[in-house]
Amino acid sequence: MATTGSPNAEIRPGPPLWLLAELTYRCPLQCPYCSNPVDFADQGQELDTGQWLDVFAQARAMGAAQLGLSGGEPLTRPDLIELVSGARELGYYSNLITSGMGLNRDKVRALADAGLDHIQISFQDAEAAGNQLMAGSRKAFQHKLEMARAVKAHDFPMVLNIVIHRHNIDRIGDIIQLCLDLEADYVELATCQYYGWAHLNRQGLMPSRAQLQQAEHVVADYRRRLEDAANPCQLIFVVPDYYEERPKPCMNGWGSMFLTITPDGTALPCHSARQLPIDFPNVRDHTIETIWHHSPGFNHFRGDAWMPEPCRSCDEKHEDFGGCRCQAYMLTGDAANADPVCAKSPHHHTIVAAREQAGTPLDQVPPLTYRNERNARLIYRG
Amino acid sequence: MSAPHHDAIPLLRRGFRLQWEPAQQAHVLLYPEGMVKLNDSAAQILTLVNGERSVADIVATLHQRFPEVPDLEADVLDFLEAAHGNHWLTER
């Protein structure tokens, strides 16, 4: 795909307010819905401490205020405390997005001392067996419980994130109750988005419409109870866009406020964009300023001149920006097409077919492919 | 949610931080994975919330700064009520 002469190069976006630093692709868990690229085992060398601190400083100078420290599992980076201290000195609000694996009480204390603002721990389920089914680890569940308690004991605000799919959605009430027992400040019930490994495993993960509706009832009921009890905990239920008729305004628009840096320094407008046939710049070669304002990759889908029909003449194009470029690419083969979630898309039938498939009994669905290096190499070199 | 009492002492909820952002030329409220850009009046009020001043102290301080503003007390109480409703503030 051409990467020069973008017609949108003259559009001047606001600053990258959110910086997502994917510090590493290493992770002790093997969740089959991981958003990391399916070929993560073949990616380049990780940025070192000094390179990350330089990225933080450059983005902060442009106006970035929220910093996500993610991965992979960010706790596998031995320099995490140093990176957190650096972020705090620069004035970031820093969020550690972790599985809790590799965390211990001393590390929680050290992170607090270094000025970390918030810890998000992911759970896979409300009980050990379901947790193990997804994470591929027997010990993970007990450890996560202990770490959630340690996070609260150090007075961090705590977000618990649970990816919801057909195997755990019927236990969503138990999951919410577990989070309330752990005194979470926010609970993100994030129904699978089908990128990376989750796209590979879509049929084995996607809940049926009936499951989804039942879950929405349970969440609404818990919200009422929380309000009655003046409990500030917020339940955030992210429903899968596959059941919508209009696409999500993905990333609030391409290159409008989000900047992701992958472990090897590639700069992306969102964490899935690496799969697109677009040349994305690397922080080893360019400044963040140049990347954000002048790189063909970041200007590619800014504005609306790139839109074909039905988006081009659609009066909602400035509300949803045509949806998600990655989903358009995965499902139609052309990243510029309307996201097929949109009922106006000529490819909407692919979404409808996936919904119909979602009710297939589990014994007729291919087994889940777990996110690990062996599978990453098999799939991409096989 | 009812209007806050005059002797209540509001403070930012744990995990919330207020800071000036030059790039946005505004105060912002930062919290887990979220950011709210504040308008001038909201920033004037929230920068006085420190876990020591009472609602009455905050109103009095703003009266001194902006004696010409009518209905200032009602505006401050409305804002604090909304901020409580959004769970930005607690009381000590």
Side-chain angles (χ1 to χ4, degrees):
Chain A
M1 190 176 284
T3 54
T4 52
S6 162
N8 302 316
E10 76 281 6
I11 290 161
R12 186 85 180 169
L17 298 175
W18 293 67
L19 175 62
L20 178 67
E22 292 184 334
L23 299 176
T24 179
Y25 284 138
R26 285 172 287 153
C27 183
L29 300 185
Q30 308 179 31
C31 306
Y33 45 71
C34 183
S35 64
N36 283 171
V38 177
D39 62 349
F40 73 87
D42 292 337
Q43 303 298 333
Q45 212 189 351
E46 289 179 11
L47 296 182
D48 65 25
T49 313
Q51 286 168 318
W52 274 119
L53 290 173
D54 184 39
V55 165
F56 294 176
Q58 288 186 54
R60 179 76 188 125
M62 289 179 69
Q66 280 281 358
L67 173 66
L69 300 166
S70 171
E73 173 49 67
L75 285 161
T76 62
R77 287 280 304 210
D79 57 355
L80 184 62
I81 298 291
E82 206 178 325
L83 295 176
V84 168
S85 299
R88 184 66 196 92
E89 266 170 48
L90 289 163
Y92 277 105
Y93 190 95
S94 54
N95 306 271
L96 179 67
I97 299 157
T98 175
S99 68
M101 305 308 289
L103 203 55
N104 57 46
R105 281 165 200 279
D106 288 344
K107 251 186 211 172
V108 175
R109 185 194 314 274
L111 288 164
D113 292 346
L116 183 71
D117 289 289
H118 145 237
I119 298 185
Q120 176 190 303
I121 299 184
S122 62
F123 275 79
Q124 281 71 26
D125 211 319
E127 35 102 50
N131 210 81
Q132 181 183 345
L133 169 71
M134 285 296 143
S137 162
R138 272 180 299 130
K139 297 173 294 183
F141 186 66
Q142 278 309 322
H143 183 72
K144 283 165 181 275
L145 291 178
E146 271 175 50
M147 286 308 106
R149 292 186 188 112
V151 163
K152 288 299 287 190
H154 279 83
D155 237 22
F156 277 112
M158 181 168 74
V159 177
L160 294 181
N161 175 291
I162 302 92
V163 174
I164 301 294
H165 43 72
R166 68 179 288 175
H167 302 272
N168 68 3
I169 192 167
D170 298 330
R171 286 191 294 280
I172 200 164
D174 294 341
I175 291 171
I176 294 170
Q177 191 57 53
L178 172 72
C179 295
L180 296 179
D181 292 347
L182 291 168
E183 297 178 70
D185 295 281
Y186 304 82
V187 180
E188 286 179 4
L189 303 156
T191 316
C192 248
Q193 308 262 356
Y194 302 102
Y195 303 99
W197 293 79
H199 184 63
L200 205 65
N201 288 311
R202 188 178 70 191
Q203 213 186 340
L205 292 171
M206 193 162 149
S208 68
R209 191 186 287 277
Q211 282 185 302
L212 195 65
Q213 284 168 343
Q214 177 57 27
E216 281 175 327
H217 279 300
V218 174
V219 173
D221 187 48
Y222 263 99
R223 281 197 182 124
R224 269 192 298 275
R225 281 197 244 171
L226 288 170
E227 203 179 327
D228 291 347
N231 185 330
C233 178
Q234 287 175 45
L235 304 181
I236 301 149
F237 188 29
V238 184
V239 298
D241 59 353
Y242 272 59
Y243 286 102
E244 304 285 352
E245 299 299 321
R246 283 289 180 274
K248 57 185 178 249
C250 202
M251 309 317 284
N252 206 33
W254 180 274
S256 80
M257 56 171 70
F258 289 92
L259 171 63
T260 298
I261 308 295
T262 68
D264 72 356
T266 305
L268 303 173
C270 87
H271 57 276
S272 307
R274 189 168 207 155
Q275 64 184 304
L276 299 176
I278 292 174
D279 237 357
F280 287 108
N282 193 294
V283 298
R284 297 174 205 256
D285 309 319
H286 305 282
T287 64
I288 304 284
E289 171 81 27
T290 300
I291 287 170
W292 186 253
H293 288 294
H294 307 297
S295 71
F298 274 76
N299 281 317
H300 208 102
F301 292 120
R302 281 184 174 141
D304 58 18
W306 54 272
M307 288 180 178
E309 292 295 349
C311 295
R312 180 177 287 273
S313 60
C314 181
D315 57 8
E316 294 167 61
K317 68 181 168 188
H318 295 135
E319 286 164 38
D320 58 34
F321 317 105
C324 169
R325 297 305 91 226
C326 300
Q327 198 144 274
Y329 178 68
M330 285 189 292
L331 299 179
T332 78
D334 182 349
N337 278 335
D339 182 337
V341 162
C342 186
K344 294 182 182 179
S345 157
H347 299 93
H348 187 58
H349 61 88
T350 57
I351 295 286
V352 174
R355 287 178 200 163
E356 283 162 4
Q357 261 189 351
T360 311
L362 273 177
D363 55 9
Q364 293 163 37
V365 170
L368 295 170
T369 303
Y370 288 85
R371 175 227 191 260
N372 55 44
E373 279 207 29
R374 192 175 61 88
N375 283 334
R377 294 192 196 284
L378 275 177
I379 291 161
Y380 264 78
R381 291 186 179 158
Chain B
M1 190 83 208
S2 54
H5 287 288
H6 280 78
D7 52 1
I9 298 177
L11 82 165
L12 283 179
R13 184 175 166 197
R14 181 182 54 185
F16 280 62
R17 200 162 87 211
L18 179 71
Q19 69 186 33
W20 172 255
E21 284 297 302
Q24 300 180 62
Q25 282 297 298
H27 278 91
V28 299
L29 191 59
L30 294 157
Y31 53 94
E33 293 170 53
M35 170 160 51
V36 176
K37 186 172 167 178
L38 300 169
N39 64 25
D40 271 351
S41 337
Q44 289 285 354
I45 301 168
L46 277 187
T47 45
L48 293 175
V49 168
N50 63 356
E52 288 171 13
R53 288 191 188 89
S54 67
V55 170
D57 294 338
I58 292 169
V59 170
T61 306
L62 290 168
H63 255 309
Q64 273 183 345
R65 282 188 199 167
F66 307 102
E68 74 288 0
V69 176
D71 301 327
L72 183 138
E73 177 166 351
D75 288 349
V76 173
L77 293 180
D78 282 353
F79 174 79
L80 290 175
E81 185 182 340
H84 269 286
N86 290 338
H87 302 296
W88 296 352
L89 300 178
T90 53
E91 281 172 16
R92 59 179 301 156

